[in-house]
Every structure is written in C-alpha cells, then in structure tokens.
Amino acid sequence: MNHLEPPAQWLVHMRAALQLATDASAPRGENPRVGCVIVDDSGHVVGTGFHLGAGTAHAEVVALAAAGEQARGATAFVTLEPCRHTGRTGPCTQALIDAGVSRVIIAMLDPTEQAGGGSAELEAAGIEVFSGVLADESRAINAEWDYACRACRPFVIAKTAMSLDGRVAGAGGVPLAISGPDSLTFAHRCRAEVQAIIVGTGTVLADDPELTIRRGVSIVGDPPLRVVVGGRPVPLNARIRNDAAPTWIAGAISPRVVLAELFVRGVRSVLIEGGPTLLQSFIDEDLVDRYLWFIAPTLIGTGPTALAAMEAAVGVTVRSVRVLGEDMCITAEPRRVAPDLFKE
Ligand code: AOF
Ligand code: ZN
C-alpha cells in the first residue's frame, strides 16, 4: 500500500465521496457512513454511490452498478476500506475485482476485525491501492462508529440538565422544568443522533419520560431503543413502555454489561439521560466519552445534584460552549491520557 502525497484530483474525487457519505438520507446506526466515486481513465465520473444503512448495498456496490462496464480499468475512490467479508451483503473487494477496477483510493482503513484487511486482498488481485487520502475527514464523519468498533462497546454520551447551582430537581426530588425550549429542542436533536437512550429506574419513576424524538426533529431510520437500568419495577403504564419506540427493560445490571449487550445488538452510540445514580455508575467505570451539560439560569437551593457521590473527581476538556436561548450547553470529553480502549 502506498502513502504518497495525493494528487489534487484525488482530493476532489475523495471530497465528492465524503459528500455522498453524509447524504441526508443515509442513516447513522450500526453501519458507517460510506461514499464511493468511480472515475475512468480520462477523469470522468462514471458511477457514484453511498450506503443507506445496515442491510442495504455497500457504497462500492452501488457505484459499480451505476458504472457498469465503464468500471473496467477505472479508479474507485472509497471513504472506507472495502470490506472483505460476507455479512448482510457480499464482499466489496470481490465486487471491485470482478468489475475490473484497476486502482482503489481509500480514505480510512476499516477498524473492524471482520471486514478490515480488504486492501491486501485487492493488492493480491493486482489492483493498485492507496490509503489515507482525507482519512481524518472520513474518521470525523464516523467518529462514534469508529470509536465503538475499536472499543467493542457503544460510544457513550451523557446528558444532564441542571440549574445554575447544580440541581436537577427540587426539594425531595420533585421534578421541575429546568431547561428552556431551545435546550429541549437541541436535546431532541441529540437523541436523533444515537441508537439507544439509557435511563435509570429512578428517572422513570420520578419523571415518567417517553424518550422519543419530538419537537419537530426528524429522524432517518429507526427510533432509538429505550433502555431502563435498575432494580425497581417499571410500572406497566409508564410512558417508556408505549409503542412509540422499542424498549429494553434491562434490570439491575452493570454499565459494562448493558453496553456489551447493546453492542451485540448493533448499537454503536448511546445517550444517557440520567439520573444522578446511573450517570455516576457510568463515570466511575470511565464509560462516558462525551458530556452534554445543560445549565439553566435558575437557582433551586435544595434538591438532588447532577451526580451522586463519585469515586473520584474527573477532569474534562471542554470542546464547546453553546448558548441556547437563556441556557448554556457545555460539551466536554474526559481527559484520557492513555486511552486503553484503543487497540492501536
Ligand atoms: C457499510 N457500508 O458502504 C461499506 C461497509 O453488515 P454488512 O454486511 O452491511 O457489513 C457492514 C460492515 O462492512 C461495516 O461495519 C464496515 O466494516 C464494512 N464496510 N459497510 O455498511 C459500506 N463499505
Ligand atoms: Zn462492503
């Protein structure tokens, strides 16, 4: 595999492939977002394609179908290393070989054990392969998926909405409307970006949340799975049990086991929506990868704080501060000096 300075024309085609990968009709989910552009010898684009989610054809196969006979001798630009496995669909490496493509330019390598390694297969078949062209850009559009595949657990986002004095409810745990409308809409958008939403039984009993995507936010693909963790029974008439989205009542199991089970079910990103005890249990095990901290301009005085007693203080790096109406939302990530989650 070569790592030369890419010609300008390659960047143009790879950018187009990245653009396809992020098409609005491509859902986020178990599978990555992938785009492919096939270009003939004279520089003409003869086929394009992108992936529409688990169970549908891969980007390369869509682009090859569009190119037909013109793929022979052509160059394929793919944002992810072509897979070499037979999963829900056949191996893209074989499809590229069969179509007679002579060169494959790749952005990022495939981090999964089952599909990764396709480059070597292409090379063994006499195809010229270059990788690393706009790799960071491709990783960025699949950041959570990439992380999840390496860690073998979903990427975990923790959301909390608190008052200026750090409270999440009133005296005695009485639920209060803390966040303003802009924060609520943003929070629904965050729900639309994940495949599962986790809450504790305490939150279900106190707030009776529905955990669906509303407030005019549209969603491509399936609604996120609603997950309840904790030992207390979930009332039969709890809104989380309605048929607006699937629900998994997980019972009193540890954060690691919840995440392992969700990963097996194909979940690559989750949102934790509280409460303090559940969130603390994930933080204590260093299982939170991003914090979304909503702060509303109200002082409550007494009542539960955003977190229960933690084992140790956690330092975070702030990535952004948004103003949402009268509220603020801080996005932060844990400072993992040596992230042991990564294989490399
Ligand atoms: C995609 N779309 O365009 C490419 C993928 O379950 P399967 O058979 O669809 O395989 C999914 C895996 O295939 C995925 O995790 C990734 O490693 C690889 N390449 N996947 O969903 C695509 N090229
Ligand atoms: Zn494939």
Side-chain angles (χ1 to χ4, degrees):
M1 217 181 304
N2 295 287
H3 295 275
L4 301 173
E5 192 61 35
Q9 216 39 40
W10 286 13
L11 297 179
V12 170
H13 293 309
M14 191 58 88
R15 275 202 194 98
L18 286 164
Q19 194 68 42
L20 287 161
T22 53
D23 188 281
S25 55
R28 292 190 182 202
E30 176 172 359
N31 281 4
R33 305 202 288 177
V34 186
C36 178
V37 172
I38 299 176
V39 181
D40 72 11
D41 258 358
S42 51
H44 291 119
V45 173
V46 293
T48 62
F50 60 92
H51 182 58
L52 278 169
T56 67
H58 288 185
E60 301 92 312
V61 170
V62 177
L64 286 172
E69 264 310 301
Q70 297 180 89
R72 203 154 291 283
T75 299
F77 293 83
V78 202
T79 60
L80 177 72
E81 181 180 31
C83 68
R84 60 172 175 83
H85 76 301
T86 300
R88 297 179 180 92
T89 64
C92 290
T93 45
Q94 199 54 50
L96 290 159
I97 294 165
D98 292 346
V101 165
S102 64
R103 199 160 51 162
V104 175
I105 317 289
I106 298 164
M108 69 180 279
L109 293 179
D110 190 311
T112 68
E113 220 159 273
Q114 52 156 14
S119 306
E121 281 192 13
L122 294 171
E123 283 183 326
I127 295 177
E128 210 181 353
V129 180
F130 296 83
S131 72
V133 177
L134 299 182
D136 288 347
E137 284 80 350
S138 181
R139 257 191 299 274
I141 62 169
N142 286 306
E144 293 82 6
W145 177 85
D146 186 41
Y147 185 103
C149 291
R150 290 165 195 275
C152 294
R153 65 157 176 81
F155 185 87
V156 177
I157 304 167
K159 183 220 136 185
T160 289
M162 65 177 201
S163 64
L164 209 50
D165 59 332
R167 317 231 166 234
V168 294
V174 175
L176 295 177
I178 293 176
S179 300
D182 292 4
S183 290
L184 293 175
T185 303
F186 182 69
H188 279 251
R189 264 195 231 122
C190 296
R191 284 182 180 174
E193 298 275 311
V194 298
Q195 288 174 274
I197 304 170
I198 310 179
V199 290
T201 44
T203 296
V204 171
L205 296 172
D207 299 347
D208 193 19
E210 191 183 25
L211 301 184
T212 51
I213 294 153
R214 303 181 306 275
R215 302 187 70 84
V217 176
S218 55
I219 172 170
V220 185
D222 299 329
L225 172 70
R226 302 174 292 188
V227 182
V228 187
V229 177
R232 284 181 280 174
V234 175
L236 288 178
N237 63 351
R239 289 208 286 167
I240 204 164
R241 286 192 188 269
N242 71 18
D243 56 13
T247 303
W248 174 35
I249 312 281
I253 58 175
S254 79
R256 262 180 215 286
V257 173
V258 174
L259 294 181
E261 171 66 25
L262 288 173
F263 189 76
V264 169
R265 292 185 186 208
V267 172
R268 299 293 176 261
S269 61
V270 304
L271 183 66
I272 300 178
E273 291 215 24
T277 315
L278 181 81
L279 183 50
Q280 175 242 320
S281 66
F282 275 80
I283 297 175
D284 280 346
E285 296 217 36
D286 193 18
L287 290 172
V288 176
D289 306 306
R290 183 178 299 147
Y291 294 91
L292 284 177
W293 223 255
F294 292 82
I295 304 168
T298 173
L299 297 165
I300 297 179
T302 50
T305 51
L307 286 170
M310 298 213 307
E311 278 173 10
V314 172
V316 298
T317 301
V318 172
R319 297 281 183 217
S320 74
V321 180
R322 280 189 185 79
V323 175
L324 296 162
E326 298 204 332
D327 299 351
M328 207 166 69
C329 180
I330 296 177
T331 305
E333 283 168 11
R335 290 188 200 138
R336 290 199 184 101
V337 180
D340 58 336
L341 288 165
F342 291 89
K343 285 183 197 152
E344 51 184 42

